[in-house]
Amino acid sequence: MPKPLFILNGPNLNLLGQREPDVYGRETLDDIRQLCAQRATALSLSIDFRQTNQEGTLVDWLHEAKDAACAVVLNPGAYTHTSVALYDAIKAIGVPVIETHLSNPAAREPFRHHSYVAPAARGTIAGFGSTSYVLAVEAAARLVAAQ
Ligand code: DQA
């Protein structure tokens, strides 16, 4: 088995299920964790699924991924639109990062249209609700298989 796939979740995603369900759906983050685990197992990958509300913790986890992960699925939440530190961390680690969003930020408020993460990420999947995560796990599996 390759190294685990890190699936890292940023601020406010711990409130999924209660938080703006019309935007983010009714599934909880634990429901999404289970969906990812099922898909990853079918693709012979293991996952390490985490959430934090702290920007610096996301940076630390990206650094950890440098040696410990085969790839990273990252939903940075609102830090997507503010964090040069996440951009720098992704550039520093050399592990493919797949930016992932439940909603489609490009179709929402103008302040969500810019992503600091996108230019450093291998690619972005957005707008498919919890299926965005499943698609990101599939993309990660293809990247790992191609390595
Ligand atoms: C989000 C989109 C961000 O704009 C927002 O700040 C979030 C969630 C998403 O998954 O759709 O917290 O990353």
Side-chain angles (χ1 to χ4, degrees):
M1 250 213 200
K3 294 173 187 173
L5 171 65
F6 279 19
I7 304 179
L8 305 181
N9 295 281
N12 301 306
L13 294 168
N14 54 311
L15 296 181
L16 284 180
Q18 310 159 39
R19 174 194 183 202
E20 298 183 83
D22 44 320
V23 177
Y24 298 116
R26 298 221 171 258
E27 284 157 298
T28 66
L29 195 59
D30 195 55
D31 294 333
I32 292 173
R33 182 190 60 72
Q34 287 180 46
L35 281 176
C36 290
Q38 278 168 13
R39 195 67 197 112
T41 302
L43 294 164
S44 302
L45 281 180
S46 62
I47 63 166
D48 188 336
F49 192 100
R50 307 178 189 181
Q51 188 274 332
T52 178
N53 292 321
Q54 315 303 323
E55 182 179 11
T57 303
L58 285 174
V59 171
D60 287 341
W61 288 347
L62 287 165
H63 292 179
E64 187 184 333
K66 182 176 187 300
D67 294 321
C70 62
V72 178
V73 170
L74 174 64
N75 184 348
Y79 293 137
T80 307
H81 317 298
T82 62
S83 181
V84 178
L86 287 180
Y87 170 89
D88 284 346
I90 295 166
K91 288 295 238 185
I93 62 174
V95 171
V97 173
I98 302 163
E99 179 187 0
T100 304
H101 300 282
L102 295 150
S103 68
N104 178 4
R108 299 180 61 197
E109 303 96 320
F111 65 83
R112 295 185 204 275
H113 292 180
H114 180 259
S115 169
Y116 281 95
V117 168
R122 182 64 71 94
T124 300
I125 299 172
F128 301 101
S130 58
T131 302
S132 291
Y133 282 75
V134 177
L135 294 170
V137 170
E138 289 177 6
R142 284 172 187 255
L143 289 175
V144 172
Q147 268 166 17

